[in-house]
C-alpha cells in the first residue's frame, strides 16, 4: 500500500505544480507579448512561459497510476475538462482506468457536504 501512496504523492505534487503555475504563466505570457511588441528582443518571454506550462501539463498527463500502470490522467481530459486536481475538488480526481482516487492518501480529507450551510460556515 505504501508504494501506492508514493505514486499518488508524486501525482499530487505534479498536479500542485500545474495548479500553482496556471495563472502566473498566463500573466507572464501576457506581459511577454506586450513587451515583445514594445521591444522585440524581449519577445522570447511569452513562448518561454507557454513552453513551461505545456511541459508541466505533459508531465502531468504522462503520470502513471501506481495500481494499474496506465496513465492516471488523459491529456485531452486535462485540457478540455480541466480534470486535474483543484484545491476544492481533489477528492474527486481518480484514475481513468482503474478508479484509484487521490483521496486515498492519508493526508487528504474527503469532503462531504451535507447542506449548503456546512460550506458557508467553515
Amino acid at each position: 500500500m505504501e508504494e501506492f501512496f508514493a505514486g499518488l504523492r508524486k501525482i499530487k505534487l505534479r498536479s500542485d505544480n500545474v495548479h500553482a503555475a496556471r495563472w502566473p504563466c498566463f500573466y507572464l505570457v501576457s506581459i511577454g507579448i506586450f513587451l515583445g511588441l514594445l521591444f522585440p528582443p524581449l519577445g522570447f518571454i511569452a513562448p518561454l512561459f507557454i513552453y513551461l506550462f505545456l511541459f508541466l501539463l505533459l508531465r502531468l498527463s504522462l503520470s502513471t497510476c501506481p495500481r494499474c500502470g496506465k496513465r492516471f490522467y488523459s491529456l485531452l481530459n486535462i485540457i478540455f475538462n480541466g480534470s486535474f486536481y483543484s484545491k476544492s475538488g481533489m477528492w474527486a480526481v481518480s484514475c481513468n482506468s482503474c478508479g484509484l482516487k487521490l483521496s486515498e492518501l492519508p493526508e487528504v480529507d474527503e469532503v462531504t457536504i451535507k447542506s449548503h450551510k456546512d460550506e458557508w460556515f467553515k
Side-chain angles (χ1 to χ4, degrees), residues 85-86 88-94 101-103 108-112:
Y85 149 73
S86 66
S88 60
M90 186 177 100
W91 54 272
V93 177
S94 62
K101 289 188 171 188
L102 280 179
S103 64
V108 176
D109 297 327
E110 190 162 335
V111 178
T112 56

Side-chain angles (χ1 to χ4, degrees), residues 28 32-33 35-36 39-51:
L28 290 170
I33 291 171
L35 289 176
F39 187 63
L42 290 178
F44 75 92
I45 294 174
L48 177 73
F49 286 102
I50 289 173
Y51 293 142

Side-chain angles (χ1 to χ4, degrees), residues 12-82:
K12 182 182 175 299
L13 177 67
R14 289 179 178 182
S15 298
D16 286 342
N17 290 342
V18 171
H19 186 73
R22 181 175 45 185
W23 289 111
C25 281
F26 174 75
Y27 290 125
L28 290 170
V29 165
S30 302
I31 290 169
I33 291 171
F34 179 71
L35 289 176
L37 292 174
L38 292 178
F39 187 63
L42 290 178
F44 75 92
I45 294 174
L48 177 73
F49 286 102
I50 289 173
Y51 293 142
L52 171 71
F53 190 69
L54 289 177
F55 169 75
L56 291 173
L57 281 177
L58 182 65
R59 193 174 72 161
L60 178 63
S61 71
L62 293 177
S63 299
T64 57
C65 176
R67 182 188 292 163
C68 65
K70 296 180 181 177
R71 288 187 182 175
F72 194 83
Y73 292 102
S74 164
L75 185 61
L76 294 176
N77 284 344
I78 292 172
I79 292 173
F80 293 116
N81 295 339

